[in-house]
Amino acid sequence: MSKAARIFTLTVALVLCLSSMAGASAFRVGDQGTDVAEIQGQLHSLGYDVKADGDYGPATAEAVKAFQLSRGLSADGLVGSATYSALLGKTMPEVVHSTNAVSNAVVSESMNYLGVPYVFGGTTPSGFDCSGYVRYVFAQAGIYLPRTADAQYECGYAVSTAELQPGDLVFFSTYEPGASHVGIYLGDGNFINASSSRGVSVASLYSSYWGSCYIGARRVM
């Protein structure tokens, strides 16, 4: 199979994965609908800078975090049952949504740089290192991450391997202890990263090498 055919096949698989529906226990970035608009409307009425447009984006997440801090709740930017009750004074409805649009944008953007060479300290499409690549891709979706892998490992919240979704950050301990390498999870056990040996490329999270140095994942959206 040619390189172009492999990329096309992987892209189709990712689109199918990203379009699948999944249940969730909290409203989060990427969710849309009247429930989100109600959350936003209440936040706006409390003085937070957010529009009730029914689209749960980064601005809504920041407003939720500020509200959570004001109520002594865990400031994760997710509207779970405790936050929903504190904000709206009623029981939270069942949350059902598709994989969020921001994740979709991140995964789509990540594929645009397949084959870009690895450059230590590289932060542009002329050459990336691992964290420079991740930071650049997320910035194109309006999400700004720290520069280094270890700092990125402190962002968002931890997710287990069983909970991994496309767009999550996956971390590895490679040339030094701790989070020294990072990639973007694509689904089906695959992730994309800027590796020193292959540049921007897709790899399996469960390969003998990457599986042995995997240390965890974070969700920042």
Side-chain angles (χ1 to χ4, degrees), residues 107-128:
V107 170
S108 178
E109 181 69 19
S110 74
M111 300 297 289
N112 291 333
Y113 308 102
L114 281 168
V116 170
Y118 179 89
V119 174
F120 183 75
T123 59
T124 72
S126 62
F128 290 115

Side-chain angles (χ1 to χ4, degrees), residues 87-112:
L87 180 62
L88 293 166
K90 59 183 180 180
T91 302
M92 188 175 77
E94 181 182 1
V95 184
V96 179
H97 64 245
S98 60
T99 302
N100 72 64
V102 180
S103 295
N104 196 349
V106 165
V107 170
S108 178
E109 181 69 19
S110 74
M111 300 297 289
N112 291 333

Side-chain angles (χ1 to χ4, degrees), residues 42-107:
Q42 183 64 11
L43 287 167
H44 181 77
S45 71
L46 293 174
Y48 295 98
D49 186 16
V50 61
K51 296 180 180 179
D53 57 6
D55 187 357
Y56 200 128
T60 300
E62 289 305 310
V64 169
K65 288 180 183 179
F67 172 79
Q68 289 169 326
L69 284 171
S70 74
R71 297 301 178 92
L73 299 168
S74 176
D76 56 10
L78 307 176
V79 179
S81 58
T83 299
Y84 190 92
S85 178
L87 180 62
L88 293 166
K90 59 183 180 180
T91 302
M92 188 175 77
E94 181 182 1
V95 184
V96 179
H97 64 245
S98 60
T99 302
N100 72 64
V102 180
S103 295
N104 196 349
V106 165
V107 170

Side-chain angles (χ1 to χ4, degrees), residues 161-178:
T161 303
E163 296 171 321
L164 280 171
Q165 295 179 2
D168 288 342
L169 299 183
V170 288
F171 293 88
F172 308 86
S173 179
T174 53
Y175 64 91
E176 64 181 13

